[in-house]
C-alpha cells in the first residue's frame, strides 16, 4: 500500500517542482511521481566525444569545448536582425560562433561572459566560413574544469520546460522516491519473460553510464526498454484478458439456429456463398447459440461479402422472435444496407426499418412505435440508433458495420439497448495482427479470407497529370462497355491555400469532357441528405455514369457495375484509405481499374508508398505498411478507440514483445482469474491503479 501512495504522490511534492512547473507537467500528462519517473528519454546525447572545432562535420549532436572570446548583441543579414552571438575558441585556437535569436541581453552577457569555460552541444552548421551552433545546449564549466564524458538523456518537453529542468527534477524524484519502485512481477514471470525490475530499468534509462550501449539506448532496444515496453503491453492485455473472462461469465441469451430457415435463406441468395462465408456464418451461429453474450469481430477485406454474413445472423435471431440492430457509419451506407436487407430478408417475412438522422416526423414516430412493440425485427441505421428514444422490445443481436468509424462508447450504448445482446462488429479495414491484439484483444475474431469466385484482381496504375488524356480515353472505353466510374477528390470546394482538385470543379470539368456520352453526378458530405440519397440512387440505378465524390464513398458503397475509380491527389490519402476507396470497384466479374493520379513532386517517399498500391491488393499487407509509415494513431483513430496511449511501446516495431505480453497476460488470467493468489497481489494493485476505472473490473474485485 505504501508503495502506491508514494508513487501516486502529486508531482508538486518533488523537490524543485513548483506550481508553475507542475502545471506544465500536467499538460504532458505527468501528474504523479510515478508518471514522472516513468517518463523516459526518447533520445540520448553522446557527450563522451568532444571534438576539436577543426575536425567538426556538419550534423546533429556535436560537442565542442572552449573559452568565450567575444560575447554581445550583433546584427545579422541585410535586414539587420538583432541576435546575440558568442565566439568560442578551443584549445587548438579554432573558433566557432554561437547564435541566439531569442535572448535576454543582460542575463546572457553575465552567463556567457568573455573568459567563461563552456561545453557546447548541438547541431553544427557551416555559416559562411565559420562553424556555428544555433541555440545549442551549454554547460558553463568551472575554471579549469574538465567535463566528464557523459551520455545525457533527452526527455520529451513542453513549451517553457527546459531539458535541464527535466533532468533535475527526475533526479530529485529518483533520489527521494526510488525506494517505492517495488517489483510487481512474480519471480516466475521475471524468469519466464526475462524481465528486469522497474528500479533497475529506470536507473539504466535515466542515468546511463559512460559504459552504456548508446546504440541500444537510442534505438529503444535495450533490456530496460524491452521490460518497460512489455509492461505497457502487459497491463493492457491483462485488462483485456480479464474483460474477456468477465464477458464469458455473464449470462446472455441463447438463440438456437433454425436450420430450415437458414437453408431457405441460403437457397434464396443469387449466388453461392464462399467457403469462408460458410465458415464464419457457422462460427457466429455457434456463438449465438451459447448462453453467453457473443463478442465477435468479423474481418474481411473489401468486397469479401460481409453483408450477407450479417444477414444470416439476423435470420437466426429473427426466426426466434428476437430483434436485431445494424448500425453503419454513414447515411449512404445505412440506406444501402437497408435496401440489401429488404431484398434478402423480406422474402422470409422478416420486417425491416430504417432510422437515420433524416428519418423525421411521423415516419420516425411510427418506426419507433413499431420497434418498441416488437413489430419490426431489424432496425438498420446510423448512430441515430443510439438515441435514447430508440427502444427495442427484445434486442438480442447488435451488428456494427465498419467498426473503426465508431467509438467504443457508441458500440456499448447500442448494446445496452438489449440485455446482454450478442455483438458482432464488422470491419473491412484489415487490421495488422498487433493492432488486432490490442484494439480488439477482448474479442473473438472471424476472418473472411477469400473473395467470391470470378473476381478479377483490380488493376492499379499510377498516373501523372500529363497522362490525363490517356485517363479520359480509359474511362471512355469503360463507359462504352456499359460500365460506370467514380472520381474521388480530396476536397469539396475550392480552397485558397492549397491548389488541390476539388470535387465541385472536377465535376464540372468531367461533365464538359463527357458531355456527349455520359451523365455526371456530384456527391459530397455537405449535401443535404435527400440530395446525397438521390445522387447515390441515380448512380446505383445507372442513370448517372460518372460519380464525382469526396471520400464519403470510402466505406461500404456497393455498385457492382462500376469498374473504374480515379483518385485525384492520391498522395493525400493514407494507404488503408486508398485500399477502401479502391474496394468500390472490382465487385463483379468485370475487370476493374484503379487510377491513382498523383503529384508527389520530389517526394520519393510518397511514390514508394503509392507503389505499394500498385503492387498488391492484399489488404493486410497494405495495412502493415500503413501502420509502419503512419503509426497506429492515424490508422485507427486511437482517440476514439479507448486504448491508452503508449509511452514507449511502438505497435509497428514491438510486435514480438506484444505477443509475449499477451501470452503472459492470458496465461495469468487462466491460472488466477481474480488475481488473488499471493504472488500476484502486487500485479493486481498495479493493474487497478493503471486502469483507474477505465476497465470494468467489477468481476475481479
Ligand atoms: P463487403 O465485405 O465489402 O461489405 P459486400 O457484403 O458489400 O462486401 O459484398 C460485395 C458484393 O459481393 C455485393 O454486391 C454482394 O452482393 C456480393 N457477394 C457477396 N457474397 C458473394 C458471393 N459468395 N458470390 C458472389 N457475390 C457475392
Ligand atoms: Mg460492407
Amino acid at each position: 500500500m505504501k508503495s502506491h501512495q508514494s508513487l501516486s504522490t502529486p508531482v508538486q511534492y518533488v523537490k524543485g517542482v513548483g506550481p508553475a512547473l507542475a502545471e506544465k507537467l500536467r499538460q504532458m500528462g505527468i501528474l504523479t511521481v510515478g508518471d514522472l519517473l516513468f517518463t523516459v528519454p526518447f533520445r540520448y546525447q553522446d557527450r563522451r566525444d568532444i571534438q576539436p572545432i577543426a575536425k567538426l562535420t556538419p550534423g546533429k549532436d556535436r560537442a565542442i569545448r572552449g573559452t568565450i572570446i567575444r560575447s554581445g548583441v550583433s546584427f545579422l543579414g541585410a535586414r539587420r536582425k538583432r541576435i546575440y552571438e558568442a565566439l568560442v575558441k578551443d584549445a587548438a585556437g579554432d573558433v566557432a560562433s554561437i547564435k541566439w535569436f531569442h535572448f535576454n541581453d543582460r542575463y546572457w552577457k553575465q552567463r556567457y561572459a568573455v573568459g567563461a569555460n563552456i561545453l557546447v552541444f548541438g547541431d553544427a552548421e557551416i555559416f559562411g566560413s565559420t562553424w556555428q551552433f544555433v541555440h545549442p545546449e551549454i554547460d558553463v564549466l568551472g575554471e579549469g574544469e574538465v567535463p566528464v564524458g557523459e551520455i545525457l538523456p533527452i526527455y520529451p518537453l513542453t513549451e517553457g520546460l527546459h531539458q535541464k529542468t527535466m533532468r533535475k527534477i527526475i533526479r530529485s524524484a529518483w533520489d527521494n522516491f526510488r525506494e517505492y519502485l517495488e517489483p510487481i512481477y512474480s519471480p516466475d514471470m521475471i524468469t519466464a519473460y526475462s524481465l528486469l525490475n522497474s528500479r533497475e530499468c529506470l536507473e539504466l534509462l535515466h542515468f546511463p553510464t559512460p559504459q552504456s550501449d548508446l546504440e541500444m539506448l537510442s534505438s529503444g532496444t535495450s533490456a530496460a526498454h524491452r521490460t518497460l515496453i512489455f509492461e505497457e503491453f502487459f497491463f493492457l492485455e491483462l485488462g483485456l484478458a480479464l474483460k474477456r473472462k468477465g464477458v464469458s461469465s455473464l449470462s446472455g441469451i441463447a438463440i438456437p439456429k433454425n436450420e430450415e430457415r437458414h437453408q431457405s435463406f441460403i437457397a434464396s441468395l443469387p449466388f453461392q456463398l464462399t467457403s469462408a462465408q460458410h465458415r464464419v456464418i457457422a462460427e457466429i451461429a455457434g456463438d449465438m447459440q451459447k448462453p453467453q453474450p457473443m463478442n465477435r469481430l468479423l474481418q474481411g477485406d473489401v468486397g469479401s461479402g460481409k453483408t450477407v454474413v450479417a444477414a444470416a445472423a439476423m435470420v437466426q435471431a429473427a426466426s426466434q422472435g428476437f430483434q436485431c440492430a445494424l448500425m453503419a457509419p454513414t447515411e449512404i451506407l445505412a440506406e444501402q444496407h437497408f435496401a440489401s436487407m429488404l431484398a434478402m430478408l423480406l422474402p422470409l417475412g422478416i420486417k425491416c426499418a430504417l432510422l437515420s438522422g433524416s428519418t423525421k416526423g411521423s415516419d420516425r414516430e411510427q418506426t419507433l412505435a413499431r420497434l418498441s412493440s416488437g413489430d419490426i425485427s431489424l432496425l438498420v441505421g446510423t448512430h441515430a440508433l443510439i438515441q435514447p428514444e430508440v427502444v427495442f422490445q427484445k434486442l438480442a443481436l447488435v451488428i456494427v458495420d465498419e467498426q473503426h468509424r465508431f467509438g467504443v462508447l457508441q458500440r456499448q450504448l447500442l448494446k445496452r439497448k438489449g440485455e446482454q445482446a450478442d455483438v458482432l462488429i464488422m470491419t473491412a479495414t484489415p487490421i495488422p495482427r498487433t493492432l488486432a491484439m490490442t484494439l480488439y484483444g477482448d474479442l473473438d475474431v472471424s476472418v473472411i479470407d477469400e473473395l467470391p469466385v470470378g473476381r478479377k484482381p483490380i488493376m492499379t496504375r499510377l498516373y501523372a497529370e500529363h497522362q490525363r488524356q490517356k485517363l479520359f480515353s480509359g474511362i471512355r472505353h469503360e463507359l462504352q462497355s456499359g460500365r460506370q466510374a467514380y472520381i474521388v477528390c480530396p476536397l469539396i470546394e475550392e480552397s485558397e491555400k492549397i491548389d488541390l482538385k476539388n470535387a465541385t470543379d472536377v465535376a464540372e470539368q468531367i461533365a464538359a469532357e463527357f458531355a456527349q456520352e455520359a451523365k455526371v453526378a456530384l456527391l459530397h458530405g455537405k449535401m443535404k441528405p435527400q440530395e446525397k440519397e438521390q445522387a447515390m440512387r441515380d448512380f446505383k440505378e445507372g442513370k448517372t455514369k460518372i460519380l464525382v465524390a469526396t471520400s464519403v464513398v470510402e466505406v461500404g458503397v456497393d455498385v457492382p457495375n462500376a469498374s473504374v475509380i480515379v483518385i485525384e491527389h492520391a498522395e493525400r490519402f493514407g494507404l488503408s484509405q486508398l485500399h477502401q476507396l479502391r474496394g468500390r470497384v472490382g465487385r463483379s466479374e468485370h475487370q476493374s481499374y484503379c487510377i491513382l493520379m498523383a503529384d508527389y513532386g520530389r517526394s520519393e517517399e510518397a511514390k514508394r508508398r503509392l507503389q505499394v498500391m500498385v503492387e498488391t491488393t492484399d489488404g493486410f499487407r497494405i495495412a502493415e505498411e500503413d501502420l509502419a509509415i503512419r503509426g497506429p494513431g492515424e490508422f485507427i483513430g486511437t482517440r476514439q478507440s479507448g486504448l491508452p496511449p503508449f509511452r514507449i511501446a511502438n505497435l509497428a516495431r514491438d510486435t514480438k514483445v506484444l505477443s509475449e505480453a499477451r501470452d503472459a497476460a492470458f496465461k495469468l488470467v487462466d491460472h488466477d482469474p481474480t488475481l488473488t493468489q499471493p504472488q500476484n497481489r502486487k500485479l493486481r494493485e498495479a493493474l487497478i491503479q493503471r486502469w483507474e476505472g477505465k476497465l470494468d473490473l467489477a468481476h475481479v474485485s
Side-chain angles (χ1 to χ4, degrees):
M1 271 304 116
K2 189 177 164 208
S3 80
H4 280 151
Q5 277 158 15
S6 295
L7 286 183
S8 49
T9 300
V11 76
Q12 295 90 287
Y13 293 93
V14 173
K15 215 185 277 156
V17 180
L21 185 50
E23 173 53 27
K24 291 205 173 81
L25 293 170
R26 196 190 58 77
Q27 286 165 15
M28 297 174 66
I30 301 172
L31 304 176
T32 64
V33 172
D35 293 340
L36 183 62
L37 284 174
F38 279 91
T39 302
V40 300
F42 66 96
R43 202 160 77 73
Y44 292 84
Q45 281 181 350
D46 190 356
R47 294 194 173 181
R48 293 170 303 183
D49 189 18
I50 296 169
Q51 292 169 322
I53 294 170
K55 293 245 171 81
L56 278 176
T57 50
K60 275 188 179 304
D61 294 354
R62 302 289 188 261
I64 60 169
R65 183 161 77 92
T67 312
I68 295 182
I69 54 167
R70 203 167 78 206
S71 173
V73 171
S74 77
F75 297 90
L76 189 70
R79 303 174 106 200
R80 306 205 35 83
K81 189 169 170 47
R82 197 167 173 276
I83 65 160
Y84 198 100
E85 183 176 27
L87 294 180
V88 55
K89 185 160 117 185
D90 72 4
D94 294 298
V95 174
S97 154
I98 305 167
K99 295 193 174 78
W100 289 270
F101 295 93
H102 310 285
F103 55 92
N104 167 328
D105 300 18
R106 243 198 305 157
Y107 180 62
W108 255 239
K109 219 166 233 142
Q110 182 197 341
R111 183 169 161 82
Y112 305 119
V114 171
N117 177 15
I118 61 171
L119 179 67
V120 180
F121 199 88
D123 301 354
E125 316 166 298
I126 294 184
F127 182 74
S129 57
T130 38
W131 285 101
Q132 74 168 15
F133 291 78
V134 177
H135 284 255
E137 267 193 63
I138 296 188
D139 275 354
V140 180
L141 306 168
E143 212 171 320
E145 179 186 343
V146 179
V148 272
E150 282 179 305
I151 296 177
L152 277 190
I154 310 281
Y155 294 99
L157 298 173
T158 182
E159 176 92 41
L161 172 61
H162 296 287
Q163 202 52 255
K164 280 188 181 167
T165 313
M166 194 68 177
R167 287 182 195 137
K168 211 170 71 201
I169 60 176
I170 285 189
R171 165 61 77 181
S172 136
W174 174 257
D175 288 344
N176 295 299
F177 293 89
R178 67 164 168 251
E179 61 175 300
Y180 302 115
L181 290 163
E182 287 177 302
I184 41 178
Y185 303 110
S186 65
D188 285 355
M189 263 191 77
I190 299 228
T191 340
Y193 299 97
S194 358
L195 304 172
L196 304 177
N197 68 47
S198 341
R199 206 182 304 174
E200 277 175 281
C201 272
L202 293 180
E203 179 157 29
L204 289 166
L205 295 176
H206 289 308
F207 315 108
T209 66
Q211 288 74 40
S212 300
D213 185 332
L214 187 67
E215 273 294 305
M216 292 180 95
L217 280 180
S218 299
S219 57
T221 52
S222 70
H225 280 101
R226 191 186 153 279
T227 297
L228 291 186
I229 292 166
F230 180 94
E231 191 158 314
E232 280 194 309
F233 286 144
F234 177 74
F235 281 103
L236 171 67
E237 293 298 333
L238 191 55
L240 294 171
L242 288 166
K243 214 165 138 190
R244 177 136 129 181
K245 196 93 189 167
V247 169
S248 68
S249 69
L250 293 172
S251 54
I253 314 161
I255 308 173
K257 182 174 173 190
N258 181 327
E259 196 54 43
E260 204 178 310
R261 296 270 284 170
H262 178 71
Q263 290 308 333
S264 56
F265 169 67
I266 302 287
S268 73
L269 296 172
F271 44 72
Q272 294 262 307
L273 292 177
T274 61
S275 56
Q277 283 170 321
H278 275 299
R279 190 190 66 239
V280 302
I281 288 174
E283 286 166 358
I284 293 165
D287 277 8
M288 290 173 64
Q289 284 167 10
K290 286 189 202 143
Q292 295 86 33
M294 165 166 79
N295 221 0
R296 187 170 282 275
L297 171 70
L298 174 60
Q299 274 201 67
D301 214 336
V302 270
S304 60
K306 292 181 290 296
T307 315
V308 64
V309 171
M314 290 169 184
V315 171
Q316 180 166 343
S319 303
Q320 305 294 342
F322 291 108
Q323 290 177 303
C324 318
L326 171 59
M327 182 161 74
T330 64
E331 295 211 353
I332 293 175
L333 196 52
E335 279 151 18
Q336 178 187 292
H337 276 324
F338 177 59
S340 354
M341 291 304 165
L342 271 186
M344 289 190 275
L345 302 182
L346 205 57
L348 299 178
I350 298 173
K351 291 188 200 160
C352 313
L354 175 70
L355 187 79
S356 72
S358 42
T359 320
K360 298 230 161 77
S362 60
D363 246 14
R364 182 178 143 90
E365 272 163 38
Q366 216 182 8
T367 301
L368 292 179
R370 289 177 57 208
L371 187 69
S372 59
S373 73
D375 182 39
I376 293 170
S377 294
L378 165 62
L379 186 64
V380 182
T382 55
H383 48 263
L385 298 193
I386 60 182
Q387 293 164 345
E389 305 84 70
V390 180
V391 178
F392 291 81
Q393 192 207 28
K394 256 204 231 176
L395 177 64
L397 174 64
V398 165
I399 303 187
V400 181
D401 193 18
E402 307 297 349
Q403 148 71 16
H404 63 293
R405 292 300 184 98
F406 293 103
V408 175
L409 191 63
Q410 288 167 312
R411 198 207 306 169
Q412 276 167 4
L413 283 175
L414 185 55
K415 180 185 159 74
R416 288 204 198 113
K417 293 192 182 279
E419 258 179 59
Q420 303 303 351
D422 284 333
V423 176
L424 178 68
I425 65 186
M426 309 200 289
T427 179
T429 308
I431 304 158
R433 238 171 55 77
T434 47
L435 269 185
M437 279 193 266
T438 49
L439 261 187
Y440 301 121
D442 56 333
L443 306 177
D444 297 306
V445 180
S446 290
V447 183
I448 311 184
D449 48 6
E450 183 186 357
L451 292 180
V453 282
R455 297 278 170 81
K456 301 189 180 72
I458 301 165
M459 283 166 66
T460 303
R461 297 281 176 268
L462 210 48
Y463 277 19
E465 192 51 44
H466 69 267
Q467 290 164 297
R468 195 162 285 277
Q469 283 312 317
K470 188 165 145 202
L471 170 73
F472 287 155
S473 59
I475 295 177
R476 201 156 266 136
H477 179 267
E478 287 303 297
L479 293 175
Q480 281 160 6
S481 320
R483 304 283 84 76
Q484 291 164 276
Y486 292 98
I487 299 180
V488 178
C489 306
L491 300 176
I492 304 170
E493 277 152 357
E494 209 167 334
S495 100
E496 286 171 19
K497 289 212 190 76
I498 9 179
D499 186 20
L500 287 178
K501 297 236 172 326
N502 65 77
T504 319
D505 285 357
V506 169
E508 274 172 28
Q509 286 158 12
I510 296 288
E513 174 73 30
F514 291 93
Q516 308 300 319
E517 304 131 277
K519 270 193 150 171
V520 177
L522 177 65
L523 177 70
H524 60 68
K526 289 213 177 120
M527 282 163 48
K528 295 209 183 77
Q530 302 95 303
E531 294 171 340
K532 278 195 271 188
E533 205 181 311
Q534 191 63 43
M536 208 50 236
R537 191 174 312 128
D538 288 350
F539 188 61
K540 213 165 178 164
E541 291 170 0
K543 288 189 192 143
T544 49
K545 300 292 180 192
I546 303 179
L547 186 66
V548 179
T550 53
S551 54
V552 288
V553 295
E554 180 183 338
V555 288
V557 172
D558 183 39
V559 181
N561 190 47
S563 63
V564 193
I565 184 162
V566 179
I567 302 168
E568 301 281 355
H569 294 288
E571 77 282 357
R572 308 264 307 179
F573 295 92
L575 289 185
S576 293
Q577 209 183 354
L578 288 174
H579 182 64
Q580 290 299 311
L581 286 167
R582 177 166 65 182
R584 294 317 108 220
V585 298
R587 303 187 144 245
S588 68
E589 70 284 3
H590 307 297
Q591 174 63 55
S592 292
Y593 305 88
C594 169
I595 312 294
L596 305 174
M597 296 297 293
D599 185 11
Y600 32 76
R602 282 145 298 176
S603 169
E604 275 306 306
E605 163 66 27
K607 188 170 179 180
R608 195 185 64 75
R609 219 162 57 86
L610 292 177
Q611 200 60 38
V612 174
M613 296 299 299
V614 176
E615 282 162 19
T616 185
T617 50
D618 176 350
F620 279 92
R621 210 196 119 199
I622 290 169
E624 298 280 358
E625 289 279 339
D626 213 22
L627 177 63
I629 296 170
R630 298 195 306 162
E634 287 280 338
F635 196 146
I636 33 134
T638 325
R639 274 159 287 116
Q640 289 208 320
S641 70
L643 268 190
F646 296 118
R647 286 196 169 199
I648 10 180
N650 172 333
L651 283 171
R653 179 192 66 191
D654 302 322
T655 328
K656 199 164 149 257
V657 189
L658 173 58
S659 299
E660 289 170 356
R662 180 171 174 84
D663 180 64
F666 277 73
K667 268 199 189 128
L668 182 70
V669 170
D670 265 349
H671 286 146
D672 184 8
T674 49
L675 303 186
T676 39
Q677 291 170 16
Q679 78 276 20
N680 297 326
R681 208 196 73 221
K682 283 264 175 272
L683 261 181
R684 186 171 186 277
E685 283 171 11
L687 175 80
I688 289 168
Q689 193 196 6
R690 282 181 204 225
W691 281 85
E692 279 166 354
K694 277 175 237 141
L695 186 75
D696 183 10
L697 287 176
H699 45 274
V700 200
S701 35

